[in-house]
Amino acid sequence: MLTNRRLLRVRLFFEGAVVGIFTGAIVAALRFLLDEADIYRPMIFARLDSLEKILSAVFVMILLAAILAKAVKFDAQIGGSGIPQLKGILQGKTQMIKPFRLLAVKFFATVLAIGAGMSLGRAGISVQFGAAVGNFFTKIIYAKNLRHEAVEGNFLLTAGAGAGLAAIFNAPLAGVIFCIEELRKRFSQEILIAAMTAAVTASFVVKIVFGVRPVFETITATPLNIPTVMTVPTLEMATAMSAAPLKFAALFIFLGVICGIIGAFFSKSLIFALNLYDKLKIFGVKRFAIPFLLAIPLGMNLPQILGCGNVLVDEILSSHLTLSLLAVLLLGKIIYTLICFGTNAPGGLFLPVLVVGALIGNIFARVGNEMNFFTADWTTLFIIFGMAAFFAAVVKAPVTGSILILELTGQFSHLVGLIVVSGAAFLISDLCGGEPIFSALLNRAQKKS
């Protein structure tokens, strides 16, 4: 005979699967549209070769800023990445109002903002989409049973959030870990069942649409003529690290220290950017027009900086960019991300954070190669480690970051190195006063309200 708790687990299994299916479909549509934007955006900016075309682009950008301002005014919930709002809901400090409207309006606004070039991520958005699906599904099923809605609603909200992250990165395990490490801060079998079912189902749906194509394609499909870690057998890597364990441990820790310092500065700068817009009383159309108009000269000269940035990661993995260009791209990506995020436009942080980490790792590898600490074959390894370290420094979720990178790369032999570099970045960021960015954003929002 099934007990009440066992019946709950059975329900959560099937409900999690339904939430995962719908979340996967929504995220697949979002990813498709933003991937198409990454293809056509550089082509459009490349055609701005006359004053008339540039003025036309200015008009279009101001029009888009006006539309985005109207969307945010229509539903204030669509601002930002959505993860701080979700944490507030799970902590009982706020609630999700009209999840279907949130889905529709934020989907449209996100495609508009990131598609036009804003340096924002799509993972946080996908997390909020999944949570909205879970909330919407709970309201339909348990509309007349408030007790079940209260108990299972939070489980499905969390499961949907994990499904969103799993779907956008094709990383189901990272989605589950994110639910436990960042959102719930505790473990239970009910959360595990709902989150795992939803994450796996959502990833399966996305794979039906995109196949096994990863977000960072070049990481798992590096051309054989490019001397990167992916062309070197893992056994050779392991042998090299075994031969000089202290040397490579020191290098990993040093990279983690660099990412931790920059990560703490980046987290504080994000809050500063939000406060600066408010302090200068830049609201409405003007607020969104600033990054949109900046996108024009950037798109004409440094198009790699625009958008989520996954295309930039592919470029640095497959091209031998100069060290000076890498430094310009790093500085430009950080500054433009701060400008875009400060507007509170719909968009997340995961991908920009991973991109900045990849750039730091690439610069670190190039400098180390020129100083003969290691060969160019190690470049991709340090790019990957930079992504995990900077994620740990900013988001303060080192386990999620490490698992996410492992699933993106398939290089599970580098688990120990990822733990070392992520742990060092987490510790240094903490010592530098860096707060978990989503908790800091939630605290800021609560102080304003």
Side-chain angles (χ1 to χ4, degrees):
M1 184 175 178
L2 293 176
T3 63
N4 288 337
R5 191 169 183 183
R6 286 174 178 168
L7 282 172
L8 173 62
R9 292 172 185 169
V10 172
R11 286 200 305 270
L12 287 174
F13 178 85
F14 289 104
E15 290 167 359
V18 174
V19 170
I21 290 172
F22 283 98
T23 300
I26 293 168
V27 172
L30 177 69
R31 179 177 167 183
F32 172 79
L33 291 173
L34 294 181
D35 284 350
E36 291 297 299
D38 285 337
I39 295 172
Y40 290 106
R41 189 193 310 115
M43 297 180 186
I44 294 172
F45 283 117
R47 289 175 169 267
L48 301 182
D49 52 5
S50 69
L51 181 59
E52 290 181 355
K53 291 181 179 179
I54 293 174
L55 291 176
S56 298
V58 169
F59 173 77
V60 170
M61 288 300 188
I62 294 175
L63 179 62
L64 293 179
I67 295 172
L68 192 58
K70 286 285 186 183
V72 173
K73 187 177 181 180
F74 177 72
D75 191 342
Q77 288 188 103
I78 73 169
S81 74
I83 295 178
Q85 297 94 316
L86 179 57
K87 288 172 70 71
I89 293 170
L90 292 173
Q91 293 173 15
K93 298 175 180 177
T94 183
Q95 58 181 330
M96 186 175 291
I97 304 170
K98 298 183 179 179
F100 183 78
R101 188 179 75 177
L102 170 66
L103 272 171
V105 178
K106 190 152 191 172
F107 187 96
F108 167 77
T110 300
V111 172
L112 187 153
I114 301 177
M118 278 199 186
S119 179
L120 298 168
R122 52 194 181 184
I125 301 297
S126 300
V127 168
Q128 191 179 24
F129 284 171
V133 170
N135 185 271
F136 183 67
F137 183 71
T138 304
K139 288 181 181 296
I140 291 176
I141 297 258
Y142 301 111
K144 297 181 179 179
N145 192 326
L146 296 179
R147 185 176 67 85
H148 277 304
E149 182 178 346
V151 173
E152 298 182 35
N154 277 351
F155 289 139
L156 293 183
L157 195 80
T158 307
L165 184 65
I168 201 67
F169 286 119
N170 275 344
L173 186 55
V176 176
I177 298 298
F178 176 75
C179 291
I180 297 170
E181 183 181 28
E182 176 63 20
L183 296 181
R184 301 291 297 204
K185 304 290 186 183
R186 65 183 181 86
F187 174 83
S188 76
Q189 292 181 341
E190 288 75 20
I191 292 173
L192 181 63
I193 290 170
M196 182 64 78
T197 307
V200 171
T201 307
S203 294
F204 179 74
V205 171
V206 171
K207 285 179 180 177
I208 291 176
V209 178
F210 294 99
V212 293
R213 180 161 61 94
V215 174
F216 303 111
E217 295 188 47
T218 315
I219 287 183
T220 52
T222 303
L224 294 178
N225 62 333
I226 303 295
T228 64
V229 66
M230 309 310 286
T231 65
V232 180
T234 303
L235 180 59
E236 293 183 19
M237 285 284 177
T239 302
M241 283 190 278
S242 299
L246 293 178
K247 171 187 173 181
F248 284 100
L251 287 170
F252 297 158
I253 291 172
F254 188 39
L255 176 59
V257 169
I258 294 171
C259 288
I261 294 171
I262 300 175
F265 168 79
F266 184 76
S267 297
K268 293 177 181 179
S269 298
L270 287 168
I271 304 297
F272 174 79
L274 286 162
N275 292 335
L276 183 62
Y277 274 98
D278 291 347
K279 186 177 180 180
L280 296 177
K281 300 187 184 303
I282 303 174
F283 301 108
V285 178
K286 291 186 291 184
R287 194 174 183 116
F288 300 114
I290 292 173
F292 275 142
L293 291 176
L294 282 174
I296 297 175
L298 287 174
M300 296 170 65
N301 298 284
L302 287 172
Q304 305 98 317
I305 290 176
L306 303 183
C308 299
N310 50 302
V311 176
L312 175 55
V313 174
D314 288 335
E315 183 174 346
I316 65 175
L317 283 162
S318 60
S319 304
H320 192 74
L321 304 180
T322 64
L323 196 56
S324 58
L325 179 56
L326 287 172
V328 169
L329 290 173
L330 173 61
L331 187 61
K333 189 65 178 177
I334 289 176
I335 293 174
Y336 190 55
T337 299
L338 294 175
I339 292 171
C340 293
F341 194 82
T343 65
N344 201 36
L349 278 174
F350 276 36
L351 269 173
V353 163
L354 292 175
V355 172
V356 170
L359 287 166
I360 294 172
N362 198 355
I363 293 172
F364 181 87
R366 294 287 293 279
V367 173
N369 182 32
E370 291 184 6
M371 296 177 69
N372 297 317
F373 285 123
F374 43 80
T375 64
D377 294 333
W378 292 82
T379 300
T380 302
L381 181 67
F382 284 106
I383 290 174
I384 292 169
F385 279 20
M387 295 166 73
F390 200 68
F391 185 95
V394 175
V395 182
K396 293 294 187 72
V399 179
T400 299
S402 298
I403 296 298
L404 176 61
I405 297 303
L406 288 177
E407 288 190 279
L408 286 174
T409 63
Q411 298 291 306
F412 287 87
S413 58
H414 299 314
L415 176 61
V416 175
L418 284 170
I419 292 173
V420 170
V421 73
S422 298
F426 180 94
L427 178 61
I428 294 301
S429 175
D430 202 48
L431 292 174
C432 291
E435 296 182 70
I437 186 58
F438 297 121
S439 297
L441 291 169
L442 175 60
N443 292 336
R444 177 185 178 275
Q446 290 172 346
K447 287 178 182 178
K448 284 187 65 177
S449 60

